[in-house]
Amino acid sequence: MGLRFASLGSGSKGNGTLVASGDQCLLVDCGFTIKETERRMARLGLTPADLSAILVTHEHSDHLSGVAPLARRYGLPVYLTPGTLRARDIGKLPEVHLIEGHQPFNVADIRITPVAVPHDAREAAQFVFRSSGSSLGLLTDLGTVTPHVEAHFGGCDALVLEANHDPQMLAQGPYPPSLKRRVGGAYGHLSNQQAAGFLQRVGYEQLQHLVVAHISEKNNTLELARSAMADMLESVENCIFACQQEGFDWLAVEARG
């Protein structure tokens, strides 16, 4: 049995992604209250008691705010980089595993490779998951696609990829100038065009699922994101756009060969 994945929600108001293989289930980030996390997981047929662990990408509130309360309530181990742990005082955690040197590690039979990304956080990491011959990449919250990122995320069977903003909408939008510079800068978020360029460089024909995620509600539209990736979307087996309220339902990644 290969990997399965689903989203509790994707966007600046809260993020959480479930990654499962067999009877193991991981939650990557939690930007929701315990009550809201329970509600969103119930929609996907699970409770937090079904989780094996929580992984954290970085310390921004839309990814971290619910991690410690959920871990304490349900006694869950938390995996994160030392920089992310030191970035904010999140209180006592029942069990901490530090991701050292961005070396691969296992949670049960799920092999996880942390990948350093340029983002305005202390020690941000995104993840590639492998299990039973299938692979999944989660790639959001980065301002630049580096050769290091391309080397790790090329060839995935499924990919969750950020297309956060349209540069023109961002420039003309309501954000103050400092926030516009941060979002559109080298340590901010990927634009539609950056996401499309990444797909062109690393290849996309092999993707079983492409999930376009972390779409700004103020600086982007689904139509603009689709237009930027139009040529590629026709070649991907299944392409969906994650939303803040609903996330997306379970998707199965079939093993290759």
Side-chain angles (χ1 to χ4, degrees):
M1 182 180 295
L3 292 162
R4 298 181 298 127
F5 65 109
S7 172
L8 306 185
S10 177
S12 61
K13 297 177 182 177
N15 295 273
T17 306
L18 296 169
V19 180
S21 178
D23 59 358
Q24 301 294 316
C25 186
L26 310 176
L27 175 61
V28 183
D29 292 335
C30 184
F32 307 104
T33 65
I34 292 176
K35 183 177 180 180
E36 185 65 12
T37 301
E38 291 170 338
R39 186 186 72 81
R40 290 176 182 242
M41 287 190 68
R43 188 186 73 236
L44 296 166
L46 294 175
T47 75
D50 297 311
L51 294 173
S52 307
I54 303 174
L55 279 62
V56 182
T57 61
H58 63 293
E59 69 270 16
H60 291 166
S61 295
D62 56 326
H63 296 262
L64 181 69
S65 64
V67 168
L70 192 71
R72 287 193 287 266
R73 172 74 61 87
Y74 287 92
L76 297 169
V78 177
Y79 292 75
L80 71 177
T81 65
T84 298
L85 180 64
R86 291 194 296 265
R88 291 176 57 180
D89 182 8
I90 60 175
K92 184 175 177 58
L93 296 171
E95 184 179 335
V96 176
H97 297 266
L98 293 179
I99 300 169
E100 296 287 1
H102 298 285
Q103 295 298 311
F105 62 96
N106 278 64
V107 176
D109 65 345
I110 303 176
R111 184 71 165 169
I112 304 158
T113 302
V115 181
V117 296
H119 193 49
D120 56 346
R122 184 75 64 86
E123 193 179 359
Q126 295 294 314
F127 299 104
V128 177
F129 300 86
R130 294 180 174 86
S131 181
S132 302
S134 63
S135 60
L136 163 68
L138 299 186
L139 185 59
T140 68
D141 294 82
L142 71 164
T144 307
V145 178
T146 64
H148 177 71
V149 169
E150 291 186 358
H152 282 282
F153 284 89
C156 287
D157 300 315
L159 180 65
V160 178
L161 176 64
E162 172 174 79
N164 175 257
H165 62 276
D166 171 75
Q168 185 173 356
M169 280 192 68
L170 177 64
Q172 298 175 352
Y175 285 1
S178 60
L179 184 54
K180 290 180 180 180
R181 288 192 295 270
R182 185 181 78 81
V183 171
Y187 292 88
H189 292 272
L190 293 186
S191 69
N192 297 335
Q193 290 74 21
Q194 285 175 297
F198 164 77
L199 288 172
Q200 289 174 335
R201 290 190 299 275
V202 303
Y204 51 86
E205 294 86 352
Q206 82 287 350
L207 288 172
Q208 298 173 33
H209 305 288
L210 171 63
V211 178
V212 182
H214 220 301
I215 301 170
S216 173
E217 295 179 319
K218 295 184 178 180
N219 301 304
N220 207 357
T221 67
L222 293 180
E223 290 73 21
L224 287 170
R226 285 194 183 98
S227 177
M229 303 183 193
D231 293 340
M232 286 154 282
L233 300 187
E234 295 180 0
S235 300
V236 176
E237 291 183 27
N238 179 43
C239 179
I240 64 173
F241 292 78
C243 67
Q244 181 70 81
Q245 296 302 318
E246 297 284 326
F248 56 88
D249 207 344
W250 287 106
L251 299 171
V253 188
E254 295 181 5
R256 297 290 188 182

